[in-house]
Amino acid sequence: MFTKLTSFFTQPFTLINSPKQKLILIGICLGFGVLFTNVFIPFNVNQWEQDSGINQFLRLTSYYFIIAITLSFTQFIIRKLFKVYTFTIWRFILWFFGEVVFISVIYLFVYSDNLNSFGELFMFSFRHTLLGISIPYLLALIILALIKSRDKIPKNQNKKTDLIGIPDEKGVVKISLLLSNILYIESADNYIEIYYLDENLVKTTLIRNTLKTIENLFKNSMLKRCHRSYIVNVEKIKLAERKSGKLYLHLINIKSVIPVSRNYIAAFNSIVSSIPK
């Protein structure tokens, strides 16, 4: 159970990597927040100050403008400054709570006249900020997930005549290839090296990304993970060889032998039709 949880929380979280995704997040948080706060008046916020009418509308609206400005700062400046280009799930959760803390502190300095009881005021601010931002933030992530599902790069991956895009860690497509021309992909530190055919010549390209991300993108295609360092195109396997209880793959046009790790042998026993017994 613990292993499954660890595996889940270490998966890549790629919903807010590109500038477009970040702008959608900020826009939804601002638009939904302003509408929700002024229509439904949560947490009795209309009673926090002695105001009404347009002044109250501007005050309630300002809460979410501060959220939008802060998210713009954290997503576009802080992430770039600290080179946080991608998240795993658990790192994203920590980042989200960090944003909530940041916004809570800003609220204290903007709206509080007396910071003598900082701890008590901070907990009040943190609690309401967390409740106020969670709904629009979650809504934004759901919409981003739907957009990503609709525009998923390998959506036509089973059509060998279609070009598919290989993105970098920021979600920017760096190279487009025929899926049928990809031979294998190898992990190289923080990069992946793609081996592919171009007019019957084997060529390579290096892209900053992880095998885990590529595996998730192409999980329903002919590209299969066989090792922590390799993804292979199963249609390019010309020979599967077993030595000393270990499995090795020979690909067309490739002299290197690709190992299959123990965790993937069962899957490749069913994929490869003629493995020596």
Side-chain angles (χ1 to χ4, degrees):
M1 180 66 179
F2 178 77
T3 303
K4 290 183 178 179
L5 284 175
T6 302
S7 177
F8 171 77
F9 283 108
T10 55
Q11 290 184 39
F13 184 87
T14 59
L15 291 182
I16 47 174
N17 284 348
S18 70
K20 179 180 178 180
Q21 290 171 326
K22 295 173 185 178
L23 288 173
I24 290 174
L25 170 70
I26 295 165
I28 290 175
C29 285
L30 175 60
F32 180 89
V34 169
L35 181 64
F36 180 79
T37 302
N38 282 282
V39 172
F40 295 98
I41 317 294
F43 319 126
N44 295 318
V45 291
N46 58 326
Q47 299 176 18
W48 290 2
E49 299 286 346
Q50 298 298 318
D51 56 12
S52 60
I54 187 63
N55 289 333
Q56 185 179 97
F57 171 80
L58 293 175
R59 175 173 62 86
L60 299 186
T61 298
S62 71
Y63 295 151
Y64 280 91
F65 266 99
I66 288 178
I67 287 177
I69 293 171
T70 305
L71 291 181
S72 299
F73 180 71
T74 58
Q75 291 294 331
F76 285 100
I77 298 178
I78 296 296
R79 286 184 64 173
K80 183 176 182 179
L81 183 64
F82 290 95
K83 299 180 180 179
V84 184
Y85 300 120
T86 60
F87 293 113
T88 56
I89 290 177
W90 76 269
R91 287 182 183 275
F92 165 71
I93 293 172
L94 290 178
W95 182 273
F96 169 74
F97 277 99
E99 288 179 320
V100 173
V101 169
F102 194 11
I103 295 168
S104 301
V105 172
I106 292 175
Y107 279 157
L108 289 184
F109 284 97
V110 172
Y111 295 107
S112 179
D113 297 327
N114 183 5
L115 296 177
N116 291 331
S117 302
F118 182 84
E120 182 179 347
L121 289 172
F122 173 77
M123 290 308 300
F124 176 87
S125 179
F126 178 82
R127 182 171 65 252
H128 287 86
T129 301
L130 178 61
L131 293 173
I133 197 177
S134 293
I135 294 176
Y137 211 112
L138 179 60
L139 177 63
L141 294 181
I142 291 172
I143 291 174
L144 287 170
L146 291 174
I147 293 173
K148 185 175 181 180
S149 177
R150 184 195 64 187
D151 298 333
K152 198 171 183 181
I153 293 172
K155 60 185 176 181
N156 294 321
Q157 60 191 17
N158 291 322
K159 298 180 181 179
K160 297 183 181 180
T161 57
D162 287 342
L163 291 176
I164 53 97
I166 308 292
D168 64 9
E169 61 183 4
K170 298 180 183 180
V172 178
V173 173
K174 290 298 183 179
I175 187 171
S176 294
L177 301 166
L178 291 175
L179 188 59
S180 58
N181 281 350
I182 297 176
L183 297 170
Y184 71 97
I185 304 172
E186 182 178 3
S187 175
D189 294 326
N190 295 322
Y191 292 82
I192 56 170
E193 189 166 13
I194 303 166
Y195 291 76
Y196 62 96
L197 291 175
D198 183 7
E199 296 182 350
N200 292 321
L201 295 176
V202 177
K203 296 185 178 181
T204 67
T205 187
L206 202 63
I207 297 176
R208 189 178 179 90
N209 209 326
T210 65
L211 277 189
K212 186 64 177 177
T213 299
I214 300 303
E215 180 186 15
N216 288 335
L217 284 175
F218 297 96
K219 60 184 178 181
N220 296 320
S221 75
M222 63 187 72
L223 299 181
K224 302 296 182 184
R225 185 77 169 261
C226 67
H227 188 275
R228 68 178 182 177
S229 299
Y230 296 97
I231 289 175
V232 299
N233 185 338
V234 297
E235 294 192 356
K236 301 302 180 182
I237 299 172
K238 64 180 180 181
L239 173 65
E241 184 178 19
R242 195 183 298 276
K243 291 182 180 179
S244 303
K246 296 182 179 180
L247 186 62
Y248 300 91
L249 304 175
H250 298 257
L251 308 182
I252 62 171
N253 297 92
I254 295 292
K255 293 181 180 180
S256 302
V257 178
I258 310 297
V260 179
S261 62
R262 183 180 303 174
N263 293 337
Y264 298 97
I265 285 180
F268 273 81
N269 280 336
S270 60
I271 289 173
V272 182
S273 59
S274 58
I275 298 177
K277 302 297 183 182

